[in-house]
Amino acid sequence: MGGGGELAAEKHVRYIVTVEKRKDSFESLVMEHIRLNGAYWGLTTLDLLHKLRAVEADEVIEWIMSCYHPESGGFGGNVGHDAHVLYTLSAVQVLCLFDRLDALDVDKVADYIAGLQNEDGSFSGDIWGEVDTRFSYIAICTLSLLHRLHKINVQKAVDYIVSCKNLDGGFGAMPGVFCCVGALAITGSLHHIDRDLLGWWLCERQCKEGGLNGRPEKLADVCYSWWVLSSLIMIDRVHWIDKDKLAKFILNCQDKENGGISDRPDNAVDIYHTYFGVAGLSLMEYPGVKPMDPAYALPLDVVNRIFLRKEH
């Protein structure tokens, strides 16, 4: 375990494909309720490593659509699970990877999300009404990918996010910052951010071993390589951190024998941190890894394909 050096891309591909196939492993059981998120993490990682063809596209799409609720327009985290915006975004992102948004009733899905916007501009995650800035980002990101942002009150959504700003320039705990910055980036509203203040707060997240943490006094964790780095890129302050040290930290969290990346060196690997580790390397233009869009959390070529071919 451990040992920095190069990215063990082939091993990571094998690890992801194995996890996707083994339904009886501990990891599969733990992820049972968020299987759709797991599919997004795993498949996006494969695409970043130029290996999306390692899985059977039709099988994946058939499974994704079996999590769909035609009566509401939302997706559940697994077959037979309740619809929620979290899983709806993952489903849309996976369909984007495979260029198969045609499998969707786009307006039905867009109406489901638009129906979750509240009077103050915030969004609930599902019919039970929990509100979180994550859901604002998810709603905006999903609708933008579907070319249906006009179905919500974008100005109110932006105003709500801006109202969540802290005095230190941040937006509550991570991934609150990423979600707020991402939503403002997608809606062209980054002027609401004090870039130097937020950039300073984000750069303070780099620990002495090179990794990033989510808030002061916390241990470094590979997943913040994505949350913090993407936010720094969106506000144009990524040059304020030491990228070499961060890349070394991520590479030190690899299981070089069996594939996968863990939260910190010598811990057990999982699909979540494998995705965020590779995504972080992508944002740092690591050789052999496709570039990623920091706002949409998808490979750049996928995002370009969606927006160069606008469907109204």
Side-chain angles (χ1 to χ4, degrees):
M1 184 77 178
E6 299 294 305
L7 179 67
E10 292 299 325
K11 295 272 174 66
H12 299 327
V13 168
R14 201 171 318 139
Y15 164 71
I16 291 163
V17 172
T18 308
V19 170
E20 292 293 322
K21 285 198 168 72
R22 279 174 46 206
K23 307 286 191 285
D24 57 343
S25 67
F26 175 68
E27 186 160 4
S28 292
L29 294 171
V30 173
M31 284 179 43
E32 175 70 19
H33 63 298
I34 55 166
R35 211 171 143 104
L36 226 164
N37 292 151
Y40 157 70
W41 297 325
L43 293 164
T44 306
T45 308
L46 289 181
D47 198 14
L48 289 172
L49 297 174
H50 305 274
K51 288 286 190 288
L52 192 57
R53 290 197 174 138
V55 294
E56 190 49 63
D58 290 342
E59 270 177 36
V60 174
I61 288 147
E62 191 183 327
W63 178 77
I64 295 277
M65 294 313 295
S66 68
C67 299
Y68 178 60
H69 289 259
E71 62 289 350
S72 69
F75 283 81
N78 206 334
V79 181
H81 291 221
D82 290 346
H84 194 288
V85 290
L86 266 172
Y87 313 120
T88 305
L89 172 59
S90 288
V92 167
Q93 286 170 317
V94 170
L95 292 171
C96 287
L97 288 176
F98 290 103
D99 199 13
R100 285 299 310 277
L101 284 176
D102 59 344
L104 287 181
D105 179 339
V106 169
D107 283 306
K108 184 86 176 157
V109 176
D111 288 339
Y112 165 71
I113 290 166
L116 293 166
Q117 187 170 29
N118 301 307
E119 196 43 50
D120 62 359
S122 67
F123 282 84
S124 303
D126 59 16
I127 53 169
W128 306 111
E130 183 197 356
V131 171
D132 188 319
T133 49
R134 273 188 315 165
F135 306 150
S136 294
Y137 163 74
I138 286 167
I140 286 167
C141 185
T142 311
L143 290 172
S144 180
L145 290 169
L146 297 175
H147 306 300
R148 295 294 186 278
L149 264 179
H150 58 270
K151 286 188 179 263
I152 58 166
N153 187 325
V154 175
Q155 190 53 55
K156 267 190 163 180
V158 168
D159 292 345
Y160 175 77
I161 291 165
V162 172
S163 76
C164 297
K165 220 171 11 173
N166 293 340
L167 292 174
D168 59 10
F171 290 86
M174 307 296 277
V177 171
F178 163 77
C179 291
C180 294
V181 176
L184 294 175
I186 290 170
T187 55
S189 312
L190 283 173
H191 55 278
H192 289 291
I193 292 177
D194 181 331
R195 292 173 187 231
D196 286 347
L197 192 59
L198 177 56
W200 173 83
W201 189 85
L202 290 166
C203 292
E204 289 287 304
R205 306 282 58 79
Q206 190 158 34
C207 305
K208 62 180 187 301
E209 67 271 36
L212 300 164
N213 64 20
R215 48 186 191 276
E217 309 304 322
K218 288 285 186 185
L219 291 170
D221 183 324
V222 159
C223 72
Y224 293 114
S225 309
W226 166 263
W227 301 121
V228 175
L229 210 53
S230 55
S231 300
L232 282 169
I233 288 171
M234 288 186 275
I235 62 169
D236 203 21
R237 295 293 180 275
V238 75
H239 51 286
W240 287 7
I241 63 158
D242 187 329
K243 288 199 231 174
D244 290 339
K245 275 180 81 173
L246 176 56
K248 207 166 278 175
F249 174 78
I250 296 170
L251 294 168
N252 271 327
C253 295
Q254 298 181 97
D255 181 336
K256 285 279 192 75
E257 267 71 71
N258 306 305
I261 298 175
S262 55
D263 57 348
R264 49 189 73 93
D266 299 322
N267 282 357
V269 304
D270 59 59
I271 208 105
Y272 175 82
H273 289 93
T274 303
Y275 162 65
F276 285 114
V278 173
L281 291 170
S282 163
L283 292 176
M284 293 186 285
E285 299 170 2
Y286 190 88
V289 182
K290 274 179 158 186
M292 195 155 186
D293 186 290
Y296 289 98
L298 282 168
L300 203 51
D301 61 341
V302 173
V303 175
N304 288 342
R305 186 173 67 210
I306 288 161
F307 292 108
L308 292 173
R309 190 179 64 210
K310 279 220 166 191
E311 290 145 19
H312 291 285

